[in-house]
Amino acid sequence: MSNISLIATDLDGTLFYDRENISKRDREAIFSVHENGTAVALATGRELPIITPALDRLALWDAVDYIIMAGGAQIYTAKTQKIHTVGMLTPEILCDVYHRYQHHPISIILPRDNIFFTNRVTRGLRAESALLGSPIDYRPNLAEVFTASSPKLIFHGTDEEVSAILPFMQQDTDRRINLCRSHNNYIDCYAAGVNKGTALKLLCSSLDIPLDCCAAIGDNHNDLDLLHTAGQSACPGDGTEEAKAAADYVCCPAQEGAFADFCTRLGLI
């Protein structure tokens, strides 16, 4: 019998194999795990207004107990519908980061209320807007919308554009922020100390679950802290090399049911 009390899974590239669908095998597994008494937590860079339509469309709410969202900036409890905030970017920090990078050929996005406020509209961003159901609000001076604290700031571009700006960001000495590439087309900016691993520790502490009794699966750079934190970890076979190296177990590819593969290995199903 498994000693795992909670399992956390990344969404895009892991449970959502193509960023919008879940395999039949994984669907059956997530409901089975939940029904067998193991808590299920989603761990994603998405914010709640963007997660909600996807979970509604896929009818997954009954299998989800918690959501580590906005890259770990917030934790949502499904039963109480309450949000616990881990860390936020203040308007001052948002302005400072925006002014440092606004002249680079990349879209800077403030996601708020399921709207993408951005200083640069591209074909790629329009496609992303359509995929996530998030309307675009173009603001030549994005700083004008930094009126309240936010869980994250997003940089979006082509793979080449993101790869070009990444070395500059890796030299950023601002200790108030955490910059992390989360996808070929994304770099996310969070408050210092905010990541999926930190949020998982807080969630497990609040539930009195030892980290040794927690498992996690993820496929990308922004999942590394999550994988390092959990007592047992896995990565889909089509995940990044970094994520596979950080995991205890490399599963089948996401589309073939990586989450179910991991749950079977853990004895959860």
Side-chain angles (χ1 to χ4, degrees):
M1 184 174 180
S2 176
N3 70 331
I4 299 299
S5 300
L6 182 146
I7 184 167
T9 176
D10 170 54
L11 284 187
D12 296 322
T14 304
L15 193 66
F16 293 0
Y17 62 83
D18 61 355
R19 301 190 63 225
E20 57 179 331
N21 291 301
I22 181 173
S23 70
K24 179 181 178 181
R25 185 184 180 198
D26 278 350
R27 167 180 288 281
E28 292 174 351
I30 195 170
F31 277 94
S32 179
V33 166
H34 181 268
E35 290 167 4
N36 288 340
T38 299
V40 175
L42 307 181
T44 177
R46 301 192 192 196
E47 304 77 43
L48 189 60
I50 297 177
I51 300 168
T52 297
L55 298 190
D56 287 344
R57 177 175 57 83
L58 296 170
L60 290 177
W61 278 111
D62 288 344
V64 175
D65 297 288
Y66 305 97
I67 305 176
I68 294 170
M69 54 194 187
Q74 297 175 318
I75 301 171
Y76 177 78
T77 301
K79 185 176 182 179
T80 62
Q81 299 185 352
K82 290 184 178 180
I83 296 174
H84 171 76
T85 298
V86 179
M88 301 281 274
L89 296 166
T90 65
E92 178 185 6
I93 296 174
L94 290 167
C95 284
D96 289 347
V97 173
Y98 171 66
H99 289 138
R100 277 204 300 278
Y101 295 106
Q102 64 175 316
H103 299 299
H104 287 267
I106 197 166
S107 299
I108 303 177
I109 306 164
L110 181 76
R112 179 181 292 159
D113 299 327
N114 202 28
I115 298 172
F116 282 165
F117 294 93
T118 184
N119 67 328
R120 181 171 177 253
V121 180
T122 64
R123 180 182 300 177
L125 184 55
R126 289 192 183 97
E128 193 70 7
S129 168
L131 173 68
L132 298 175
S134 300
I136 294 172
D137 189 326
Y138 172 60
R139 301 293 179 104
N141 177 22
L142 190 62
E144 69 185 21
V145 302
F146 299 151
T147 56
S149 294
S150 174
K152 66 188 291 189
L153 192 66
I154 303 171
F155 299 85
H156 182 272
T158 64
D159 190 353
E160 293 76 16
E161 289 169 339
V162 171
S163 296
I165 195 175
L166 190 59
F168 293 97
M169 290 188 165
Q170 290 173 333
Q171 297 175 36
D172 197 310
T173 58
D174 192 336
R175 295 185 177 182
R176 301 171 299 172
I177 62 173
N178 171 30
L179 292 161
C180 178
R181 187 169 191 170
S182 59
H183 184 270
N184 290 346
N185 305 112
Y186 279 108
I187 298 172
D188 296 335
C189 178
Y190 304 106
V194 166
N195 58 63
K196 294 180 182 181
T198 299
L200 182 63
K201 287 179 184 177
L202 290 172
L203 176 59
C204 286
S205 177
S206 70
L207 298 173
D208 199 25
I209 295 175
L211 291 175
D212 284 347
C213 296
C214 174
I217 179 171
D219 75 310
N220 216 320
H221 181 82
N222 65 330
D223 296 311
L224 297 182
D225 292 295
L226 182 73
L227 301 180
H228 288 310
T229 299
Q232 297 286 328
S233 61
C235 175
D238 49 352
T240 66
E241 293 305 314
E242 283 182 306
K244 285 191 279 190
D248 299 314
Y249 175 61
V250 177
C251 308
C252 63
Q255 188 168 357
E256 296 177 14
F259 176 80
D261 184 353
F262 187 35
C263 291
T264 300
R265 179 179 175 84
L266 294 171
L268 295 176
I269 55 176

